[in-house]
Amino acid sequence: MIIIRGSTPDDCIWFLEADTKYVKEQRKFWGTEVVAWSRGVRGDAEKPVVISGPSGVGKGTLINMLMKEFPSMFGFSVSHTTRAPRGNEKNGVHYHFTDRSVMEKDIKDGKFLEFASVHGNLYGTSIEAVEAVADSGKRCILDIDVQGARSVRASSLDAIFIFICPPTMRELEERLRARGTETEEQILKRLRNAEAEIEQGKSSGIFGHILYNDNLEECYENLKELLGLNGSAPTNHKPSPKGIDLPSNHSVSKIDNKILINCETPELEKASKNLIALDVSSLKGGAPGRTRGLNVYALDSFSDGLNEKLS
Ligand SMILES: Nc1nc2c(ncn2[C@@H]2O[C@H](COP(=O)(O)OP(=O)(O)O)[C@@H](O)[C@H]2O)c(=O)[nH]1
Ligand SMILES: Nc1ncnc2c1ncn2[C@@H]1O[C@H](COP(=O)(O)OP(=O)(O)O)[C@@H](O)[C@H]1O
């Protein structure tokens, strides 16, 4: 672990990853030794939720309902795509609309957690998209296809996988047509792909949960239930932790899983709260990009609190 002096509180603690799942994965991918640094992020993030299903089944509708009812709890992973925006879609909100050449280069540079060619266009989840949601203290929702879900399943991201099924193919076709966002040719392509997607969604073992979206309200209730959101409004949204100021003069020691930074403040009156503890016992090594679970707090070294908190 290194602490960078003079950096912002959110950017001052970094970990060198040794043999974490991510490093092993990247070593295998590149066929060479890999050095990975990841930023120490205080607190933890809840498991991301991966939602898949054929075009027109209602994924977007269900996700919107969830985000509307629990705005402080969920954040959407904004994917990249090479398809053209629909009339109501905003760049950076619904998707990052991008050129194929740019996206292919970013994929090559390892910026994507997963990507797939779907209905003739390239779609992908950037590592940054998922991490940005987790940084904001929210639970990340990914709307991705079955191939993407398979890649996420094989990655270091620990997630919940949900597949949404239509009641019938006929109903799926009606929804796609009624939505009115695709040309006839695109609708037919999406319907052709839907059969294989449903087959794989049900049988591949990727998805831990399958929900039928027949009646929308019922399906939404079932979704909330499996996310543990039924009943009273959840209160487990953690406030963002406050920043810490790292002084220029300090000494560092280690007791068990706690790293203590002793700040040398010359004035006695300022010398209470002069010890910062970094509890690394719950670290989740695990880039991409971040090591989560770091617990940082100030200790008053002149009180019994020190012994209490360290015992
Ligand atoms: N693998 C992958 N699939 C994605 C991503 N973003 C969207 N998709 C999937 O691409 C498919 C087409 O999405 P879209 O063009 O928005 O059409 P819609 O499903 O009819 O709303 C859907 O199955 C999405 O779940 C992504 O980042 N990665
Ligand atoms: N249970 C449902 N019953 C009827 N229409 C639905 C239901 N769920 C969604 N829809 C409608 O079907 C269309 C496709 O839904 P959408 O959320 O865009 O699907 P997806 O994101 O899976 O492509 C939308 O017009 C939506 O309002």
Side-chain angles (χ1 to χ4, degrees):
M1 184 191 85
I2 65 161
I3 298 174
I4 303 173
R5 245 197 291 186
S7 293
T8 60
D10 280 338
D11 200 32
C12 64
I13 300 169
W14 286 80
F15 290 90
L16 176 63
E17 301 217 7
D19 260 0
T20 56
K21 199 175 171 190
Y22 174 76
V23 166
K24 286 181 186 156
E25 198 177 283
Q26 292 296 309
R27 206 184 276 152
K28 204 169 148 197
F29 179 77
W30 295 105
T32 176
E33 271 310 311
V34 168
V35 176
W37 286 97
S38 65
R39 181 145 64 84
V41 179
R42 276 160 283 153
D44 214 344
E46 279 201 79
K47 273 189 190 186
V49 183
V50 171
I51 297 188
S52 295
S55 184
V57 74
K59 302 177 298 295
T61 307
L62 290 161
I63 291 169
N64 283 342
M65 289 165 86
L66 209 53
M67 307 257 295
K68 205 167 166 196
E69 189 175 358
F70 306 102
S72 63
M73 205 178 186
F74 293 100
F76 187 61
S77 158
V78 181
S79 293
H80 284 64
T81 182
T82 59
R83 87 150 159 76
R86 293 173 187 149
N88 63 339
E89 286 179 332
K90 289 198 180 73
N91 192 23
V93 176
H94 299 93
Y95 280 106
H96 298 288
F97 296 99
T98 181
D99 287 339
R100 185 172 278 267
S101 57
V102 175
M103 193 165 162
E104 282 174 345
K105 179 170 187 308
D106 285 347
I107 290 171
K108 231 177 173 178
D109 290 345
K111 292 185 183 168
F112 278 78
L113 180 67
E114 63 76 31
F115 60 92
S117 177
V118 193
H119 315 315
N121 284 299
L122 199 54
Y123 293 79
T125 308
S126 70
I127 291 167
E128 195 51 39
V130 174
E131 295 295 338
V133 174
D135 286 356
S136 70
K138 296 182 183 181
R139 190 170 189 182
C140 186
I141 304 185
L142 292 85
D143 174 345
I144 59 178
D145 86 314
V146 178
Q147 308 166 74
R150 183 178 284 115
S151 303
V152 172
R153 184 114 209 185
S155 79
S156 53
L157 192 76
D158 186 20
I160 292 181
F161 294 82
I162 303 169
F163 189 80
I164 314 285
C165 268
T168 60
M169 288 304 288
R170 199 193 169 116
E171 172 69 20
L172 185 69
E173 181 169 354
E174 274 169 24
R175 285 182 198 173
L176 258 183
R177 291 193 186 287
R179 189 171 72 183
T181 49
E182 268 73 31
T183 62
E184 180 62 19
E185 192 190 341
Q186 286 163 346
I187 289 174
L188 294 176
K189 187 183 262 183
R190 280 160 189 264
L191 286 172
R192 272 197 307 275
N193 292 340
E195 307 225 4
E197 285 169 336
I198 294 168
E199 177 66 31
Q200 286 179 44
K202 283 179 176 172
S203 65
S204 60
I206 298 171
F207 298 94
H209 308 273
I210 294 179
L211 292 180
Y212 279 84
N213 183 16
D214 189 352
N215 177 289
L216 182 61
E217 288 306 324
E218 268 175 33
C219 185
Y220 181 57
E221 287 306 313
N222 291 337
L223 175 63
K224 284 200 291 183
E225 192 175 338
L226 79 84
L227 294 175
L229 297 169
N230 269 0
S232 56
T235 52
N236 63 342
H237 176 63
K238 297 178 204 100
S240 305
K242 288 198 185 78
I244 50 164
D245 290 321
L246 276 183
S248 51
N249 291 324
H250 60 266
S251 58
V252 178
S253 54
K254 191 168 180 279
I255 302 175
D256 297 331
N257 281 320
K258 295 179 184 76
I259 294 161
L260 303 177
I261 304 168
N262 197 348
C263 316
E264 292 157 20
T265 34
E267 307 92 343
L268 247 187
E269 65 273 17
K270 279 195 191 166
S272 63
K273 290 270 191 282
N274 65 349
L275 207 56
I276 296 167
L278 278 72
D279 185 340
V280 292
S281 58
S282 306
L283 278 194
K284 279 212 190 102
R290 276 66 159 182
T291 288
R292 299 194 180 275
L294 183 64
N295 187 10
V296 182
Y297 49 89
L299 286 175
D300 180 352
S301 62
F302 292 104
S303 78
D304 290 337
L306 176 61
N307 292 331
E308 267 169 38
K309 282 170 187 161
L310 292 181
S311 60

